[in-house]
Amino acid sequence: MKLKVWKLWLLAGIFFLPSIVIHLIDKEYFWGFLGLIYIVLSITTYKNNNKSNQSEISHTVMTDVDIQLRNLIEEGKVIKAVKYCRMVTGVDLKKAKEYVDLLSKENLNK
């Protein structure tokens, strides 16, 4: 889902929010919970789509990244290597740290 479409869904959910509150106050729980579920589902759908839309990195770019990361590791700049890995690949901190640790272990074995 694109950002503009999601903003429209969220805006519709916000406009329905007063109606949701009124239904909950009037003890019409079905309509109130239905509105809350609408908002929650729109947010989770947006987050899931953003995770799945990460672009694939080509093999040549990844080999260049590996070379840069190995150079940073050899210079003792592990934190900069993790930051660089995150910036280029878009992975989270844990995965970037694991990847840099794997490369540093390979450098030690050579």
Side-chain angles (χ1 to χ4, degrees), residues 40-71:
V40 170
L41 286 178
S42 68
I43 292 171
T44 55
T45 302
Y46 174 73
K47 287 182 179 180
N48 288 337
N49 284 340
N50 276 349
K51 287 181 183 177
S52 66
N53 287 338
Q54 292 179 347
S55 62
E56 294 292 324
I57 300 172
S58 68
H59 181 67
T60 55
V61 172
M62 202 58 202
T63 54
D64 292 341
V65 170
D66 281 349
I67 293 169
Q68 291 290 335
L69 290 175
R70 289 176 199 270
N71 291 338

Side-chain angles (χ1 to χ4, degrees), residues 7-23 35 38-39:
K7 283 182 181 179
L8 289 174
W9 281 94
L10 185 63
L11 187 64
I14 291 171
F15 283 133
F16 287 129
L17 198 57
S19 174
I20 294 167
V21 171
I22 290 171
H23 283 294
Y38 172 83
I39 293 173

Side-chain angles (χ1 to χ4, degrees), residues 69-78 81 100 103-104 107:
L69 290 175
R70 289 176 199 270
N71 291 338
L72 288 171
I73 291 168
E74 287 175 2
E75 294 172 5
K77 299 177 180 178
V78 177
V100 169
L103 288 178
S104 63
N107 280 351

Side-chain angles (χ1 to χ4, degrees), residues 3 7 9 13 16 21 23 26 28-30 33 36-37 41-42 48 63 76 78 80 85 89 91 93 96 102 106:
L3 184 61
K7 283 182 181 179
W9 281 94
F16 287 129
V21 171
H23 283 294
D26 291 340
E28 295 176 6
Y29 297 116
F30 175 74
F33 287 125
L36 290 174
I37 289 171
L41 286 178
S42 68
N48 288 337
T63 54
V78 177
K80 285 189 177 186
C85 181
T89 60
V91 297
L93 180 61
L102 179 70
E106 287 178 4

